[in-house]
């Protein structure tokens, strides 16, 4: 690529953004920012800092919206290991394109998530299906609607709990009767979700943008440990944004944001970074990405990501800055993400297949 004189990075960035942001993009950004403004910042226990690698958790409409035929992702998170009540969370997701008819695409996915915390091993397990229907509005824009059906379960291990009746005066004796009854110690219910996504990718550029809105637990599932009390899961609302802006042949700017609310539990994550293309020849793409995010009033989140052809591996760490830092000593949580996308190799043009005997 030839250079026609020097331009400052600010001028290049401003020009690129002006070309990228259309009238439709401005409208979607406005909707996202309005939604964001109404969410105070408080952290949630069950979350992923690299939420952009687990989009099916927040937005079923993101099912099948990627480059390739199918995708599988795995995430693991270890949080609060420096305090007695630690959390461990993992997720596995799979989605693929199922049907393509003209400007319409149908996709399906599967999501498994599990979270465990505390001495009693309080667990949250979710297994569900997601589906999406995408409609191409133009050569650059796609609108997607999605829905999900999942089963959620809460459970704990009664045998790991200690009660005052088991105190002998000197030690706890768990062989003694607790005097308490827990029946059942688990609860399961179906839950419904719905979402909307707008995807924008201009021409052959590496620039792209996703803006989505989602709602989970639309049917108010009950996951109470007592038969006489019905505890319903409140609706969880979320808005997400993820995109990249190509600056030149080697560099992209990346940005992402997530806002979600579930009654009084709210979370806002804002982040940005730079992506460096190391090699970009047919069959050999290598890139590295560095980003810094913040979960407002909770943590700073540095992250590094390596891309090699169809593989993406990400590492992040939560540096805790909330009032809980007295106990956590600033140590929040390590998170690892691995994503694989199956991208078919395009056929060679003008080549002849020769049989090998």
């Amino acid at each position: 690529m030839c250079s026609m004189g020097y331009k400052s990075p600010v001028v290049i960035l401003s020009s690129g953004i002006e070309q990228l942001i259309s009238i439709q993009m401005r409208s979607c950004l406005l909707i996202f920012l309005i939604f964001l403004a109404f969410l105070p910042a408080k952290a949630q226990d069950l979350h992923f800092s690299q939420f952009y690698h687990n989009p099916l958790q927040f937005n079923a409409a993101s099912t099948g919206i990627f480059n390739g035929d199918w995708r599988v992702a795995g995430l693991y998170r270890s949080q609060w290991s420096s305090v007695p009540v630690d959390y461990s969370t993992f997720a596995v997701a799979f989605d693929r394109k199922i049907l393509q008819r003209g400007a319409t695409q149908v996709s399906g996915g599967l999501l498994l998530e599990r979270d465990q915390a505390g001495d009693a091993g309080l667990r949250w397990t979710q297994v569900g299906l997601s589906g999406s229907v995408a409609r191409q509005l133009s050569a650059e824009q796609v609108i997607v609607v999605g829905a999900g059906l999942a089963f959620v379960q809460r459970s704990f291990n009664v045998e790991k709990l200690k009660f005052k009746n088991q105190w002998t005066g000197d030690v706890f004796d768990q062989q003694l009767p607790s005097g308490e009854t827990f029946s059942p110690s688990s609860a399961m219910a179906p839950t419904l979700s719905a979402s909307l996504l707008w995807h924008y990718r201009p021409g052959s550029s590496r620039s792209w943008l996703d803006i989505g809105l989602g709602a989970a637990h639309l049917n108010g599932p009950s996951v109470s440990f007592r038969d006489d009390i019905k505890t319903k899961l409140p609706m969880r609302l979320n808005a997400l944004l993820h995109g990249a802006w190509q600056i030149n042949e080697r560099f992209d700017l990346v940005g992402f944001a997530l806002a979600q609310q579930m009654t009084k539990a709210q979370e806002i994550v804002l982040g940005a970074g730079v992506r460096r293309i190391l090699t970009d020849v047919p069959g050999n793409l290598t890139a590295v990405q560095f980003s810094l995010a913040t979960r407002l009033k909770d943590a700073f989140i540095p992250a590094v990501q390596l891309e090699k052809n169809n593989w993406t591996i990400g590492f992040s760490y939560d540096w805790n800055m909330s009032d809980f830092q007295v106990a956590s000593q600033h140590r929040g949580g390590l998170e690892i993400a691995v994503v694989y996308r199956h991208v078919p190799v395009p056929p060679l043009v003008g080549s002849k297949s020769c049989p090998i005997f």
Side-chain angles (χ1 to χ4, degrees):
M1 179 176 291
C2 298
S3 173
M4 301 299 292
Y6 172 80
K7 292 184 179 180
S8 71
V10 174
V11 173
I12 296 174
L13 176 59
S14 301
S15 177
I17 292 177
E18 288 177 359
Q19 295 177 7
L20 179 62
I21 300 181
S22 61
I23 296 177
Q24 295 91 338
M25 181 182 288
R26 292 192 184 99
S27 300
C28 290
L29 282 171
L30 180 60
I31 294 173
F32 178 83
L33 292 174
I34 291 174
F35 187 94
L36 199 68
F38 281 95
L39 295 184
K42 296 181 181 178
Q44 287 183 294
D45 290 335
L46 179 58
H47 56 244
F48 287 100
S49 295
Q50 299 178 71
F51 62 89
Y52 40 85
H53 288 318
N54 191 34
L56 271 63
Q57 177 187 3
F58 307 98
N59 193 290
S62 63
T63 304
I65 306 303
F66 57 90
N67 179 33
D69 289 339
W70 53 269
R71 169 178 61 180
V72 61
L75 293 90
Y76 173 77
R77 178 181 178 85
S78 176
Q79 186 177 4
W80 309 131
S81 59
S82 60
V83 298
V85 183
D86 61 327
Y87 293 81
S88 61
T89 310
F90 77 85
V92 178
F94 171 82
D95 60 327
R96 67 167 299 154
K97 299 173 174 63
I98 298 176
L99 179 66
Q100 181 81 44
R101 291 286 181 85
T104 302
Q105 174 185 293
V106 179
S107 304
L110 173 67
L111 175 65
L112 167 63
E113 291 185 308
R114 186 173 181 178
D115 178 77
Q116 180 172 309
D119 294 334
L122 180 63
R123 296 175 180 175
W124 168 274
T125 304
Q126 177 171 321
V127 180
L129 299 173
S130 64
S132 71
V133 178
R135 180 71 178 179
Q136 189 168 356
L137 303 179
S138 67
E140 301 176 341
Q141 302 180 68
V142 176
I143 189 74
V144 194
V145 294
L149 169 63
F151 284 88
V152 296
Q153 180 189 43
R154 292 199 306 176
S155 63
F156 64 95
N157 190 342
V158 180
E159 296 180 354
K160 293 185 177 181
L161 293 175
K162 298 177 181 178
F163 302 91
K164 64 178 183 179
N165 290 347
Q166 297 171 322
W167 174 249
T168 65
D170 296 312
V171 295
F172 273 101
D173 184 356
Q174 291 194 278
Q175 301 301 319
L176 296 176
S178 66
E180 304 288 342
T181 58
F182 292 92
S183 181
S185 60
S186 66
M188 179 183 293
T191 179
L192 300 174
S193 63
S195 55
L196 182 68
L197 182 74
W198 180 68
H199 177 74
Y200 180 83
R201 183 181 293 273
S204 59
S205 170
R206 292 195 304 267
S207 301
W208 61 277
L209 179 64
D210 283 347
I211 298 178
L213 299 174
H217 311 314
L218 294 173
N219 56 323
S222 176
V223 287
S224 174
F225 292 131
R226 295 180 55 178
D227 296 331
D228 57 334
I229 298 178
K230 298 298 182 182
T231 303
K232 293 186 176 182
L233 288 175
M235 186 182 303
R236 175 166 58 88
L237 303 175
N238 69 78
L240 63 84
L241 179 150
H242 189 202
W245 289 265
Q246 180 177 347
I247 304 303
N248 54 39
E249 277 190 344
R250 294 297 181 183
F251 286 95
D252 299 337
L253 289 181
V254 296
F256 48 89
L258 170 69
Q260 58 176 338
Q261 179 181 31
M262 194 173 181
T263 60
K264 294 183 179 181
Q266 295 107 10
E267 178 186 29
I268 296 179
V269 181
L270 302 171
V274 61
R275 178 172 179 254
R276 172 70 160 90
I277 307 299
L278 302 178
T279 60
D280 188 12
V281 296
N284 186 18
L285 168 66
T286 306
V288 62
Q289 176 178 305
F290 300 94
S291 65
L292 179 63
T294 177
R295 183 177 297 106
L296 298 187
K297 298 185 179 180
D298 180 57
F300 290 109
I301 311 167
V304 60
Q305 175 177 303
L306 176 65
E307 300 173 52
K308 181 64 176 178
N309 295 330
N310 299 343
W311 289 91
T312 300
I313 301 177
F315 299 89
S316 67
Y317 190 85
D318 287 17
W319 185 259
N320 181 235
M321 301 299 293
S322 69
D323 294 338
F324 195 58
Q325 64 181 278
V326 176
S328 69
Q329 300 177 1
H330 296 288
R331 289 177 287 182
L334 172 68
E335 188 174 300
I336 303 172
V338 179
V339 182
Y340 176 80
R341 301 173 183 84
H342 181 262
V343 182
V345 179
L348 295 176
V349 179
S351 64
K352 180 180 294 185
S353 176
C354 298
I356 299 177
F357 298 97

